Amino acid sequence: MDDQACPRCKTTKYRNPSLKLMVNVCGHTLCESCVDLLFLKGSGSCPECNVPLRRSNFRVQMFEDPMIEKEIDIRKRVLKDYNKKEEDFETLREYNDYLEEIETIIFNLTNNIDVVNTNKRIEQYKKDNREIIMKNKVKIGQEELELEEILEIEKQMEELRRTEVARSELEAKKQKIRQKEALIDELMFADGDAKEILNTFAQTVATKQEEALPPLPMVTQFSTGVKFTRGLAQSHIPVIEEGPLYRYEPLITPDRIGPDPPSLEEIVKEGYLQHVKAENDTEKAGGYTSTLPCLRALQDALAGLYHAS
């Protein structure tokens, strides 16, 4: 997005890295400075399309194409009212037609196609389906509250885990400092060999680290608190008994009425390869010869003569 520029002041992000491009419901962009200058009273018109806009509806542009921002805003507004679920329809075909109608409305509003009639169509739909819209809004609101509650619990648990990790790291640093000080004191005042003291110190530290590792708890639920429903009834891995080993048995060819397919030698001698593409050096290197596909074609031609006795 370095080459993008504000259409009013022509400032680019290349010249001003801190430039923030803002977008509104009309889909046209302005930089943050131009928005503050043009919408001092809180409302005004877009410099490009003269659509009445409000300062509070401007938001930072996230996508390179401003039309995507416009479509996202329109989609959110439309789906607030077109909130029926699949269970609200008798057949899947009716539900698919309903989804197609939503996409048509969003496409028309995004591309300014028959905007007046499309808005009338939305208002008529809101009048005809007022009760269903309100019921689904309440249902969606409850689901959002439950999701927010789960996310909040997850956030608290993550904060507790982060605090515990920081506390453990701080305690480990303090422990290392105490161990180093104890080693220095022992090297200064002990009468033994320094190498033996270092080896003994290293073994002691390794033993303490192994003892300090707590056993891993058995996880029986997800991070959201939902308990596992599989794998708890069985405390051991089931043993699969081995069956008998595979033994090759040659294919029994059924009886035929008619001539046998020619052999590879007969294919070469009798001139069957005259109408078959010859193999090149590359194909020969891969193990391909023209006699094999010729033999397969002849076998397929005579397969209709096979019959089970």
Side-chain angles (χ1 to χ4, degrees):
M1 297 177 66
D2 291 342
D3 57 343
Q4 287 192 332
C6 174
R8 184 176 179 274
C9 64
K10 308 303 181 183
T11 305
T12 63
K13 296 196 73 174
Y14 178 76
R15 296 179 180 176
N16 183 12
S18 61
L19 178 70
K20 287 185 180 179
L21 293 176
M22 313 289 287
V23 66
N24 209 311
V25 293
C26 64
H28 297 124
T29 57
L30 287 173
C31 68
E32 191 174 18
S33 300
C34 291
V35 170
D36 294 335
L37 182 62
L38 293 176
F39 296 88
L40 291 174
K41 297 181 180 180
S43 61
S45 300
C46 176
E48 295 192 29
C49 61
N50 293 324
V51 173
L53 302 174
R54 295 191 63 84
R55 172 68 179 85
S56 58
N57 291 333
F58 276 94
R59 61 190 183 278
V60 178
Q61 182 178 346
M62 301 298 296
F63 299 92
E64 185 174 355
D65 187 359
M67 290 299 293
I68 298 178
E69 302 279 354
K70 180 180 179 181
E71 181 181 347
I72 290 174
D73 183 75
I74 292 173
R75 185 175 295 274
K76 287 181 179 179
R77 290 191 288 110
V78 171
L79 292 181
K80 284 183 179 179
D81 298 319
Y82 283 79
N83 55 8
K84 289 184 180 181
K85 305 296 181 182
E86 185 176 354
E87 55 268 19
D88 295 329
F89 298 89
E90 296 181 357
T91 61
L92 180 61
R93 178 56 184 248
E94 294 179 357
Y95 178 61
N96 291 333
D97 293 341
Y98 171 76
L99 296 178
E100 185 176 354
E101 180 184 3
I102 293 175
E103 295 302 323
T104 301
I105 291 173
I106 295 173
F107 179 82
N108 291 345
L109 295 178
T110 303
N111 297 277
N112 298 324
I113 301 174
D114 198 12
V115 177
V116 176
N117 291 331
T118 302
N119 287 326
K120 290 181 180 180
R121 184 176 175 183
I122 295 174
E123 293 298 326
Q124 185 64 37
Y125 173 83
K126 292 166 65 175
K127 291 180 181 179
D128 298 339
N129 301 272
R130 188 180 304 274
E131 295 182 0
I132 298 177
I133 293 173
M134 294 302 299
K135 182 180 70 174
N136 288 336
K137 280 185 178 180
V138 172
K139 184 178 178 181
I140 294 173
Q142 292 176 351
E143 293 177 353
E144 290 179 350
L145 288 176
E146 293 176 358
L147 180 60
E148 289 180 1
E149 183 179 355
I150 292 173
L151 292 176
E152 185 64 26
I153 294 174
E154 287 281 356
K155 194 182 298 181
Q156 294 176 1
M157 295 297 295
E158 182 64 26
E159 187 65 27
L160 290 175
R161 286 193 291 267
R162 199 176 292 119
T163 304
E164 183 65 22
V165 170
R167 187 191 64 80
S168 301
E169 291 178 352
L170 181 61
E171 185 63 28
K173 289 181 180 179
K174 292 181 179 179
Q175 183 66 21
K176 287 183 179 180
I177 294 173
R178 288 195 293 266
Q179 290 174 355
K180 288 182 179 180
E181 292 176 351
L183 176 61
I184 293 172
D185 292 340
E186 189 172 357
L187 289 172
M188 289 176 63
F189 301 107
D191 297 331
D193 186 16
K195 290 184 178 180
E196 294 181 358
I197 294 174
L198 289 174
N199 292 332
T200 305
F201 176 79
Q203 293 176 0
T204 305
V205 171
T207 304
K208 289 183 178 179
Q209 288 179 351
E210 291 179 358
E211 294 177 353
L213 292 175
L216 294 175
M218 181 179 179
V219 180
T220 59
Q221 62 183 15
F222 295 101
S223 59
T224 56
V226 180
K227 294 184 177 181
F228 296 156
T229 57
R230 299 182 180 180
L232 295 179
Q234 297 180 351
S235 59
H236 63 279
I237 301 177
V239 178
I240 301 177
E241 297 182 358
E242 294 185 357
L245 297 177
Y246 174 77
R247 186 176 62 181
Y248 173 74
E249 295 181 358
L251 181 65
I252 300 175
T253 305
D255 296 335
R256 294 188 303 274
I257 299 177
D260 293 331
S263 62
L264 293 176
E265 292 78 8
E266 292 175 346
I267 288 176
V268 176
K269 293 179 180 179
E270 300 296 333
Y272 286 97
L273 298 178
Q274 293 179 2
H275 304 286
V276 178
K277 177 180 175 295
E279 67 275 4
N280 54 34
D281 294 339
T282 304
E283 293 171 342
K284 285 183 179 179
Y288 172 83
T289 59
S290 57
T291 55
L292 295 177
C294 182
L295 175 62
R296 179 172 296 178
L298 292 171
Q299 290 175 345
D300 291 341
L302 298 175
L305 300 177
Y306 295 170
H307 76 280
S309 59

